[in-house]
Amino acid sequence: MAITPLMPVYPRCGVRPVRGEGAYLIGEAGERYLDFASGIAVNCLGHGHPKLVEAIAKQAATLMHVSNLYGSPQGEHFAQRLVDATFADTVFFTNSGAEAVECAIKTARRYHHVTGNPQRHTLITFHNAFHGRTMGTISATNQPKMRDGFEPLLPGFAYAPFDDLEAALALIDENTAGFLVEPVQGEGGIRPASDAFMQGLRAACDEHGLLLVLDEVQAGYGRTGKLFAHEHYGITPDVMAVAKGIGGGFPLGACLATEKAAQGMVVGTHGSTYGGNPLAMAAGEAVLDVILEPGFLDHVSTMGMRLRQALEQMLPNYDHLFDHVRGKGLMLGLKLKTDSRAFVAHARDHHGLLLVAAGDNVVRVLPPLTIDESHIAECVEKLSEAARAFAPAEAA
């Protein structure tokens, strides 16, 4: 048989983790890696956080899954906590970010359907966005690498350059339902939107009766130093998709919405077999307990600032390789003057540092939110070693 048992859709590297400890992953042979990838911003509390482990173990021994045909005291409690902590009035739980974005898209379309404007079905999205791998979410991006071979794609999306308010507003027409946007593009290259852009989108939605739908799957849940990235811009969305950090490593996502935006989401309009299962709710509660502890988000902001400063101090020593640092909090990107994927592989294979490549030749630096000064020092030391060893090969 030529094909592998695991469908070969991932470019898997030689790192084969079997255990995690805080900010470290341990491979089959006992090798240790400093994990500044965090499962691509998923393991927000690092690996093996005692509160998360205890909550999952306790719930697994009690009740893991029941159908959504029945009442959900676990889901009701967790949803109320999210409502209390955010702009939202209601929450739908999913298993992943792509599912959360799908729910957000459906919520936006359904809103206009029930308010007498069914022609308003098009969401304006942005170049180099990443919203997931389903047919709906790849239709919401203009990236050829996501779309190749999957046509025909779903209609109902228009595309504008990211952070270009004028271009976005020019696309508004009688069919527009709203905007779907990442406040900080992740896979697109750690690109934070400007204040004027995000505030302008909010104002346009208010003026034209549209919905602002945010994809905070990667940027949310404390990653930028705020509970959600839109808080940096002084705005609130109508609908928001979250995932990744919300479960700390357990599969969990959510679509949050205001009562107004969710008025079309009534019985029978949406569902999920596993969404909101008691085990996921226990994981989500444990993560939220930690994230909302007094001082936790301040710690993320402080560590983000210090990591950024350390990276910026390092850059001039390797200005043939690094261009600049960008991002917010502990969602940082190193813009390279060469292939970021090659550098990520070099740092991983030869220096035990796990990072993530992104678009625009950017290296994503996404450590657990629980790191301390020692982890920052170790990261910068490993980056420096990697840059010194990588430079001769690039010069050649």
Side-chain angles (χ1 to χ4, degrees), residues 224-284:
T224 66
K226 300 284 190 181
L227 185 57
F228 292 103
H230 65 261
E231 297 173 38
H232 290 285
Y233 301 96
I235 63 166
T236 56
D238 301 295
V239 185
M240 180 174 69
V242 301
K244 290 190 181 286
I246 190 175
F250 193 90
L252 176 59
C255 176
L256 286 71
T258 64
E259 182 175 11
K260 177 182 176 181
Q263 63 186 279
M265 302 303 284
V266 297
V267 171
T269 56
H270 197 48
S272 169
T273 295
Y274 295 109
N277 67 80
L279 192 52
M281 298 299 91

Side-chain angles (χ1 to χ4, degrees), residues 112 117-122 171-177 208 210:
H112 291 293
N117 295 289
Q119 78 282 0
R120 290 190 170 187
H121 50 66
T122 297
L171 290 176
I172 296 175
D173 62 21
E174 66 276 8
N175 300 129
T176 303
H208 297 284
L210 309 178

Side-chain angles (χ1 to χ4, degrees), residues 25 29 37 77 83 93 100 129 141 164 199 223 241 252 255 266 273 282 316-317 342 345 378 382 391:
L25 281 177
H77 188 266
V83 164
F93 289 113
T141 182
D164 186 333
Q199 291 166 6
R223 176 57 53 185
L252 176 59
C255 176
V266 297
T273 295
N317 298 324
E378 184 179 354
K382 288 180 179 294

Side-chain angles (χ1 to χ4, degrees), residues 143-342:
Q143 292 197 64
K145 67 179 181 180
M146 304 293 177
R147 301 157 63 109
D148 183 43
F150 297 113
E151 293 86 357
L153 299 176
L154 302 180
F157 300 96
Y159 316 97
F162 181 71
D163 210 30
D164 186 333
L165 180 61
E166 185 177 347
L169 299 184
L171 290 176
I172 296 175
D173 62 21
E174 66 276 8
N175 300 129
T176 303
F179 300 97
L180 170 59
V181 60
E182 301 160 274
V184 184
Q185 284 194 334
E187 198 275 343
I190 307 296
R191 300 180 61 201
S194 63
D195 289 358
F197 179 70
M198 294 302 298
Q199 291 166 6
L201 295 182
R202 177 68 272 175
C205 288
D206 294 339
E207 179 183 352
H208 297 284
L210 309 178
L211 296 184
L212 181 60
V213 182
L214 297 188
D215 178 343
E216 291 225 25
V217 168
Q218 187 166 156
Y221 243 75
R223 176 57 53 185
T224 66
K226 300 284 190 181
L227 185 57
F228 292 103
H230 65 261
E231 297 173 38
H232 290 285
Y233 301 96
I235 63 166
T236 56
D238 301 295
V239 185
M240 180 174 69
V242 301
K244 290 190 181 286
I246 190 175
F250 193 90
L252 176 59
C255 176
L256 286 71
T258 64
E259 182 175 11
K260 177 182 176 181
Q263 63 186 279
M265 302 303 284
V266 297
V267 171
T269 56
H270 197 48
S272 169
T273 295
Y274 295 109
N277 67 80
L279 192 52
M281 298 299 91
E285 293 260 20
V287 172
L288 191 61
D289 284 345
V290 177
I291 295 284
L292 294 183
E293 285 177 359
F296 184 90
L297 292 174
D298 291 336
H299 170 81
V300 175
S301 295
T302 299
M303 291 299 102
M305 178 183 65
R306 292 182 182 172
L307 176 57
R308 187 180 192 125
Q309 290 172 343
L311 293 173
E312 289 176 339
Q313 290 171 4
M314 177 196 73
L315 260 55
N317 298 324
Y318 312 100
D319 59 3
H320 63 287
L321 182 59
F322 301 122
D323 189 274
H324 65 270
V325 182
R326 60 204 198 196
K328 293 180 180 290
L330 288 174
M331 186 178 181
L332 297 178
L334 278 171
K335 168 68 173 173
L336 267 63
K337 299 177 180 179
T338 184
D339 180 16
S340 62
R341 296 185 184 280

Side-chain angles (χ1 to χ4, degrees), residues 98-113:
E99 291 173 78
V101 176
E102 287 277 352
C103 182
I105 293 169
K106 290 179 69 174
T107 300
R109 288 188 177 181
R110 185 76 182 167
Y111 164 76
H112 291 293
H113 176 81

Side-chain angles (χ1 to χ4, degrees), residues 125-129 137-147 159-161:
T125 65
F126 297 91
H127 295 182
N128 300 313
T137 53
I138 64 172
S139 300
T141 182
N142 75 328
Q143 292 197 64
K145 67 179 181 180
M146 304 293 177
R147 301 157 63 109
Y159 316 97

